Amino acid sequence: MKAQYLVILGTGGTIAGKADNAGDNIGYTAAQVGVEQLLHAVPGLSECGPFITEQVAQLDSKDMSFAVWAQLAARVNHFLARPDVQGIVITHGTDTLEETAYFLQAVCRPSKPVVLTCAMRPATALAPDGPQNLLDAVAVACHPGARGVVAVCAGTIHSAFDVQKVHPYRLDAFSSGDAGPVGFIEEGRLKLSRNWPEWPIAQAERAQLAIESIANWQDWPRVEIVMSYAGASAAIVEALVVQGVRGLVAATTGNGTLHHALQKGLLQAQAGGVKVVRASRCINGRILPLPGDALADSGGLSPVKARVALMLALLAEADAART
Ligand code: SIN
């Protein structure tokens, strides 16, 4: 039988970070070490190969851009289409990992595993977490039946839909909220708690339209997030509308509620043609819609993921209008 390759794509992050002294877990520069070197730092990993490695980007993920996303999606699609590729692992910063995971799931919808992994400590740390996370991610990418975009951190597998960074320092920095993790990796073995995630049909259909157009788009539709809080007003919404914003995600209080002044501004924006979606700012749960809601809700997506979904929907719409 022909060898099945595992593809490792590097994009930067703390997993590739360097500090001047090994005791420093926070004063480091992210995205310094190449993906090849990261692989060599993991004892025993070479036995899991053969590998194909590629440095798609080298950045601190707080600076993630649409251009890098488009390039990453193109490389992921390229390798997914190869019959000799078993799965893909992507090394990524933790800060926007959940956005990239959602984006890739939405536009690539892989039937093979695409596993994002990361680290909370730089590669130069006394006890870096990156090598173990990388080893675990490879175990997931090799697992028979694994599919879809997932994130692996601290021995836990999270789905792209549910994963959220919930801690700025601890090694176990991610949560899947109410849904719970897909499973765990224990000494290279997977213990699954639920099925590999299915993608909600409506989301998949929306994204399907966008994939062909992504590479061709220079200007992505501008979608911003506005938050509801005590004393909120419509001022930011009004300023954004003047600037030509195309979509707004309202990070709402509780079950989709908004400060009345902000709500008025959002309804006006919507009446003027801006797409508005509500996503709860609560870390767990989802908005339970009420009959006659004037503003749509995100269907359980967090505000940052609802923003990605709205951008893709607008891209699809613009694309349809062009053809
Ligand atoms: C980043 O997101 O690139 C830096 C922070 C991290 O990876 O933990």
Side-chain angles (χ1 to χ4, degrees):
M1 207 171 83
K2 263 175 99 185
Q4 285 284 297
Y5 289 100
L6 272 184
V7 176
I8 318 279
L9 304 178
T11 70
T14 294
I15 191 168
K18 272 186 176 175
D20 288 340
N21 93 62
D24 190 350
N25 288 322
I26 56 170
Y28 59 86
T29 309
Q32 302 299 301
V33 183
V35 65
E36 275 284 338
Q37 225 179 313
L38 293 182
L39 241 64
H40 287 138
V42 187
L45 192 63
S46 54
E47 290 147 36
C48 308
F51 294 106
I52 298 169
T53 59
E54 198 172 293
Q55 194 76 47
V56 176
Q58 188 63 299
L59 50 70
D60 187 319
S61 80
K62 72 179 175 57
D63 298 324
M64 185 50 73
S65 67
F66 301 142
V68 172
W69 270 356
Q71 198 187 343
L72 188 57
R75 296 314 288 156
V76 166
N77 268 348
H78 165 80
F79 286 115
L80 285 173
R82 277 179 54 165
D84 60 346
V85 166
Q86 181 175 1
I88 300 175
V89 170
I90 302 172
T91 58
H92 197 289
T94 59
D95 284 341
T96 58
L97 182 144
E98 68 214 58
E99 291 170 61
T100 301
Y102 179 82
F103 169 75
L104 288 177
Q105 176 64 49
V107 300
C108 302
R109 298 192 297 141
S111 52
K112 295 176 187 178
V114 175
V115 187
L116 280 92
T117 195
C118 55
M120 290 298 286
R121 292 180 181 159
T124 48
L126 277 178
D129 53 329
Q132 183 67 55
N133 286 344
L134 193 47
L135 194 60
D136 289 348
V138 165
V140 174
C142 291
H143 188 75
R147 64 172 186 276
V149 180
V150 293
V152 163
C153 184
T156 310
I157 310 165
H158 304 274
S159 84
F161 191 88
D162 301 307
V163 66
Q164 249 186 294
K165 186 172 179 181
V166 293
H167 204 283
Y169 183 71
R170 285 190 203 136
L171 302 189
D172 195 0
F174 290 89
S175 167
S176 288
D178 286 356
V182 175
F184 303 93
I185 309 110
E186 296 172 345
E187 298 299 301
R189 289 204 190 89
L190 267 60
K191 199 171 98 184
L192 296 177
S193 335
R194 57 185 174 109
N195 291 335
W196 295 99
E198 296 297 338
W199 198 241
I201 301 285
Q203 311 253 354
E205 277 169 0
R206 238 187 297 160
Q208 170 74 13
L209 292 165
I211 182 67
E212 288 83 24
S213 55
I214 277 169
N216 304 326
W217 281 91
Q218 301 305 316
D219 298 320
W220 287 44
R222 182 165 177 205
V223 177
E224 300 287 354
I225 300 173
V226 291
M227 190 180 270
S228 191
Y229 40 72
S233 78
I236 295 173
V237 171
E238 285 160 7
L240 288 168
V241 169
V242 169
Q243 287 182 25
V245 77
R246 302 277 319 284
L248 288 168
V249 173
T252 74
T253 37
N255 189 32
T257 51
L258 290 157
H259 188 287
H260 65 86
L262 177 60
Q263 179 160 342
K264 195 169 162 210
L266 288 166
L267 287 169
Q268 260 163 16
Q270 183 172 258
V274 177
K275 290 264 191 288
V276 181
V277 171
R278 292 173 303 144
S280 181
R281 66 178 216 187
C282 292
I283 201 81
N284 287 322
R286 56 173 55 204
I287 294 174
L288 300 174
L290 289 162
D293 275 339
L295 297 170
D297 73 86
S298 67
L301 291 174
S302 65
V304 290
K305 289 183 192 172
R307 175 175 174 265
V308 177
L310 187 48
M311 278 191 301
L312 292 173
L314 286 165
L315 267 180
E317 214 177 85
D319 210 42
R322 274 200 317 194
T323 51

